[in-house]
Every structure is written in structure tokens, then in C-alpha cells.
Amino acid sequence: MPGDVTDLLRTTGSVRTFTDAPVDDATLHAVLDTARFAPSGGNRQPWRVAILRDLDARRNVAALMQGVWDEYMAYNRAGLVPFATETLPEGSIEHVPNPLLDMIDTIPVVLAIAADRSKIAVMDSGFDRPSLTGGASIYPFCWNLLLAAREHGLGGVMTTFLTRAEAAAAPVLGLPDGHALAATIFLGYPVHQPTKLRRQPVESFTTLDRFDGEPFNIGN
Ligand SMILES: Cc1cc2nc3c(=O)[nH]c(=O)nc-3n(C[C@H](O)[C@H](O)[C@H](O)COP(=O)(O)O)c2cc1C
């Protein structure tokens, strides 16, 4: 467990392999109980969480995610940004194993996170590009959850590929009308907790006054 906030923020890497140890309900409840302090637009707290325990439900959503993963990997192989503007060459999708999905039965905690769209003010709705701000009221909650999990020695990873199969996943998960699937989060006790994260330095993404301004350095 990290000792302070800076340490926590700098060392919470993705965990995709878990020990067999189960996560008890009190621990999971405590994690959710801390995550709920996330910010959201108008403090409308649009999150809903489904804890997937039923094996059939898990296998159903894993199969849907696998289809999306295969498509994602086909884009990668073709050197394209997945699901962006260009379409895939015909017949290029093939099965690519995904270790997380292959062990869906045994992952200690699988959470589907949804957002009530009626509670989200989408500041960039109607723009000639996909909305970014729509997610801003749900992803802080997801990240809070992963950070809160560390206090209990847990690790995990957020994934978004189920959203691409939202229509098919909705009946499996009982997704209420007007809700969007935001993420699937996997949690458990890490086999290995990565702590050395590769991230770009401040100067590479921070500039003065304008985005094409001088790089920000201490003292300039
Ligand atoms: C919006 C979002 C979607 C992600 N989707 C996936 C995913 O589908 N599968 C996966 O294994 N990791 C997923 N990740 C985890 C990223 O791969 C990970 O945060 C990134 O590679 C940095 O790795 P690190 O945290 O281990 O340093 C996702 C993370 C975010 C924030």
C-alpha cells in the first residue's frame, strides 16, 4: 500500500493478473464507499455499478468484449487508430487471445460501470466530433475506485471495450434505459503490483498561455 497521496498517484499501474484470494464483500463495499466521493457535473453522481458474480453473465460479457478486442487488434495490425475514421480491410478480423477475458471466471471482482445520461450535462454535445466532456462525470468515479482499491492491497484495470458492444450487453446486464456503459473494471489481489509507470514529462504537454506556447519549465 502506498504511503501518501503522491505515492499513490504515481504508482497506481494497471494490474491484469490476480491471485486466487477472494475479495470479501466488506472490502469491496469499502472501496465503493470511498469511490463515491468522486466529483461529477452538478454533483449529480450518475454512476451505477453492477457486480458481476453470475458466471453466465460474466461469460456473456467476456464474449462480447472478445469480439471488440479482435476488431481492436485488427486495427492495430493494419496500423490504424481503432474505431477512428478509417474502416478495416475486409476479412482482417481474427481471434486474438486476451488473458483477462480468458480468465473471466476466476477474476475476483468484475464490475460493470454505467452512467445515467439524463444526469450528465454534455458541454460538447452537437459538435462535429465525438463528445469528450460527457465522460467527465463518470471516469473520475472509475479512477477513484481503482485508487481506493489500493488502500486494501487490491489492484485492477479499467477497460472500455464493452461499451462498443453496449446494445448486446444491455439485456445481459439489465442496463436501464437512458444509461450508457462506461467501463468494466477488474479487481483483485495483484500477482505483481507495477509501480514504475511510464508517463511523459510535464514539459511535453504543458505550455504557457497557448497550446502552441513556450513549454512550461520551473522559473520561465
Ligand atoms: C479509458 C481507458 C481504457 C482502457 N482500456 C483498457 C483495455 O481495454 N484493456 C486493458 O488491458 N487495459 C485498458 N486500459 C488500461 C491502459 O492500458 C493503461 O492505463 C495504460 O496502458 C497505462 O498502463 P499502466 O497503468 O500499467 O502504466 C484502459 C485505460 C483507460 C483509462
Side-chain angles (χ1 to χ4, degrees):
M1 186 183 78
D4 60 32
V5 174
T6 301
D7 197 25
L8 173 76
L9 295 176
R10 293 179 78 111
T11 65
T12 303
S14 304
V15 171
R16 299 184 180 85
T17 46
F18 309 101
T19 70
D20 294 338
V23 177
D24 62 47
D25 284 356
T27 301
L28 181 56
H29 190 278
V31 169
L32 291 160
D33 195 35
T34 298
R36 73 191 168 92
F37 289 92
S40 59
N43 198 19
R44 283 183 288 270
Q45 305 169 44
W47 41 82
R48 292 286 305 270
V49 179
I51 302 168
L52 304 194
R53 286 193 174 141
D54 179 71
L55 281 190
D56 286 338
R58 282 188 177 209
R59 288 170 188 169
N60 276 330
V61 296
L64 292 170
M65 287 191 268
Q66 182 66 53
V68 178
W69 176 249
D70 293 342
E71 205 181 334
Y72 182 95
M73 293 306 284
Y75 275 102
N76 276 348
R77 280 197 305 278
L80 301 172
V81 177
F83 313 120
T85 46
E86 289 173 83
T87 45
L88 278 174
E90 188 110 349
S92 60
I93 300 175
E94 56 188 60
H95 177 77
V96 180
N98 180 305
L100 259 180
L101 301 178
D102 289 345
M103 61 182 186
I104 195 74
D105 285 11
T106 55
I107 295 175
V109 177
V110 180
L111 303 175
I113 314 290
D116 181 347
R117 290 172 46 230
S118 71
K119 292 184 172 175
I120 298 178
V122 184
M123 291 298 175
D124 50 359
S125 65
F127 284 20
D128 188 21
R129 60 159 175 79
S131 166
L132 264 186
T133 61
S137 282
I138 187 71
Y139 293 113
F141 172 81
C142 296
W143 186 233
N144 253 17
L145 208 152
L146 286 159
L147 293 174
R150 287 215 48 213
E151 189 180 353
H152 300 272
L154 295 165
V157 64
M158 163 171 22
T159 71
T160 50
F161 42 6
L162 189 58
T163 301
R164 191 129 194 107
E166 183 178 278
V172 179
L173 296 172
L175 184 70
D177 279 350
H179 285 57
L181 273 180
T184 312
I185 294 182
F186 304 91
L187 290 177
Y189 294 98
V191 169
H192 166 69
Q193 174 68 56
T195 53
K196 290 209 177 344
L197 311 189
R198 285 182 300 121
R199 302 292 189 263
Q200 301 298 320
V202 171
E203 299 71 33
S204 72
F205 59 82
T206 313
T207 47
L208 296 177
D209 298 319
R210 297 167 49 92
F211 294 109
D212 57 359
E214 286 289 304
F216 169 61
N217 285 300
I218 296 168
N220 76 344

